């Protein structure tokens, strides 16, 4: 996965609050509770309030300390080719470049979504959450929340092959939920039902498909500023890394790893095979109309 060295990154699409302190009386702990939260919340696509991960009646606020600022260090595509956080900025730019251009072709208007880099804990319009929830999208403020430390866990705890495009897949999946929010389909996941045929699973698989659609067009979507594609190269190995990441967070893989058995009646995201299938469906067709998982 390579970026145009001479491209200028748009850091206005990312808010970096890593290193901030969160004032709150209640906080989400680690240990077993954190693992359960991670299993339930991983790529769920809705905010932590739906998982009971709020801070009650507290009104927490972020207090900036020595937060790392991508605005100062992530300026060009060359930075994206050498630094993990800058690569995520570039992926956010590329994903939004695509959807910003695709929506008008379908007679709709795309509304931007910001990504927030955080560490430890973060406050959102959906409540206060810890890193244990994993990456998530909050429809209340239309933001994607991402602790970059998750990518190491994706490889070491969940068995993904890793690689830059595995990380890009995660970001594109979360923006898939933003697309669903704009289209009015995200709310289908909030009926409280679980299982292999539940709306929760169908929403997740559709977000995987949307991630694949973006990947199909990533090297041909012109950047708003330069008119050239921000991503210059995606290889077959990159796509395999994306498929590996999709499989690693399948419900069956996670359940087998953490509870020693597979319980399809409790699925909220779909099996490893399904997640790979729908990501590849989007990548193969490049057409969001082919991502109807509700049929």
């Amino acid at each position: 996965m390579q970026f145009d060295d001479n491209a200028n990154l748009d850091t206005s699409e990312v808010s970096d609050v890593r290193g901030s302190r969160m004032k709150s009386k209640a906080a989400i702990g680690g240990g077993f509770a954190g693992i359960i939260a991670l299993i339930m919340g991983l790529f769920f696509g809705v905010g932590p309030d739906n998982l009971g991960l709020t801070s009650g009646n507290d009104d927490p606020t972020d207090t900036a300390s020595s937060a790392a600022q991508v605005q100062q260090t992530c300026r060009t595509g060359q930075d994206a080719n050498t630094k993990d956080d800058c690569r995520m900025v570039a992926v956010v730019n590329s994903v939004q470049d695509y959807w910003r251009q695709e929506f008008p072709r379908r007679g709709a208007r795309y509304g931007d979504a910001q990504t927030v880099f955080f560490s430890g804990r973060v406050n959102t319009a959906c409540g206060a959450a810890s890193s244990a929830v994993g990456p998530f999208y909050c429809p209340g403020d239309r933001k994607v929340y991402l602790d970059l430390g998750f990518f190491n866990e994706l490889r070491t705890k969940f068995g993904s092959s890793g690689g830059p495009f595995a990380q890009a897949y995660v970001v594109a999946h979360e923006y898939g939920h933003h697309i669903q929010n704009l289209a009015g389909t995200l709310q289908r996941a909030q009926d409280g039902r679980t299982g292999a045929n539940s709306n929760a699973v169908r929403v997740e698989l559709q977000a995987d498909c949307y991630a694949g659609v973006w990947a199909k067009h990533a090297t041909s979507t012109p950047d708003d500023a330069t008119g050239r594609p921000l991503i210059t190269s995606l290889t077959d190995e990159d796509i395999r890394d994306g498929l590996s990441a999709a499989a690693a967070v399948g419900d069956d893989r996670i359940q087998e790893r953490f509870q020693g058995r597979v319980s399809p009646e409790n699925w909220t995201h779909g099996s490893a095979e399904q997640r790979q299938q729908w990501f590849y469906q989007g990548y193969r067709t490049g057409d969001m109309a082919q991502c109807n998982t509700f049929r």
Side-chain angles (χ1 to χ4, degrees):
M1 184 178 187
Q2 290 291 316
F3 299 90
D4 178 1
D5 281 340
N6 297 317
N8 293 320
L9 302 185
D10 183 1
T11 56
S12 69
E13 295 184 351
V14 173
S15 176
D16 189 355
V17 299
R18 290 173 293 173
S20 297
R21 298 190 308 274
M22 190 180 81
K23 292 181 178 179
S24 176
K25 294 179 181 178
I28 302 161
F32 182 73
I35 291 295
I36 294 301
L38 179 58
I39 293 172
M40 293 180 63
L42 193 64
F43 304 130
F44 196 77
V46 294
D49 58 326
N50 293 291
L51 303 174
L53 304 181
T54 63
S55 55
N57 295 322
D58 294 333
D59 183 21
T61 57
D62 285 323
T63 302
S65 57
S66 57
Q69 295 296 322
V70 295
Q71 287 79 6
Q72 298 173 9
T73 59
C74 301
R75 300 182 181 276
T76 69
Q78 185 175 18
D79 295 326
N81 283 323
T82 57
K83 302 173 184 175
D84 285 352
D85 51 1
C86 298
R87 179 166 58 247
M88 293 302 94
V89 173
V91 170
V92 169
N93 290 171
S94 175
V95 169
Q96 296 213 101
D97 280 343
Y98 172 71
W99 291 116
R100 202 179 285 124
Q101 295 167 38
E102 179 63 16
F103 263 50
R105 286 195 285 266
R106 297 179 178 274
R109 180 178 177 275
Y110 178 75
D112 287 358
Q114 194 173 58
T115 289
V116 179
F117 292 168
F118 74 99
S119 57
R121 299 168 189 156
V122 69
N123 295 299
T124 82
C126 297
S130 80
S131 297
V133 181
F136 65 93
Y137 170 76
C138 173
D141 54 23
R142 293 188 175 185
K143 293 180 180 180
V144 171
Y145 289 88
L146 180 62
D147 186 328
L148 299 183
F150 168 77
F151 294 129
N152 184 56
E153 294 187 347
L154 183 62
R155 180 177 54 82
T156 60
K157 290 186 178 181
F158 294 91
S160 167
S161 61
F165 191 76
Q167 300 173 5
Y169 153 76
V170 171
V171 174
H173 173 98
E174 296 307 331
Y175 272 89
H177 289 312
H178 179 56
I179 300 307
Q180 293 169 323
N181 192 33
L182 296 176
T185 56
L186 182 60
Q187 62 188 9
R188 295 191 185 189
Q190 301 180 37
D191 60 9
R193 298 178 182 177
T194 62
N197 296 314
S198 66
N199 282 336
V201 167
R202 295 177 189 274
V203 162
E204 292 301 325
L205 297 179
Q206 187 176 60
D208 282 334
C209 189
Y210 287 161
V213 169
W214 160 75
K216 176 69 173 180
H217 298 283
T219 59
S220 60
T221 298
D223 180 65
D224 289 344
T226 67
R228 302 187 306 272
L230 182 55
I231 297 178
T232 59
S233 173
L234 275 183
T235 66
D236 290 343
E237 182 179 358
D238 289 324
I239 300 305
R240 285 194 294 270
D241 285 342
L243 289 167
S244 175
V249 291
D251 279 321
D252 51 344
R253 293 274 186 93
I254 291 176
Q255 288 178 338
E256 181 68 33
R257 182 177 294 265
F258 289 99
Q259 67 183 31
R261 58 186 176 85
V262 176
S263 306
E265 67 275 11
N266 296 323
W267 286 4
T268 56
H269 295 74
S271 68
E273 182 180 3
Q274 287 176 310
R275 300 200 71 165
Q276 287 186 318
Q277 172 191 339
W278 281 101
F279 172 79
Y280 195 73
Q281 166 85 348
Y283 180 70
R284 180 180 61 82
T285 66
D287 182 5
M288 67 181 296
Q290 301 302 314
C291 294
N292 187 357
T293 57
F294 295 93
R295 287 186 291 198

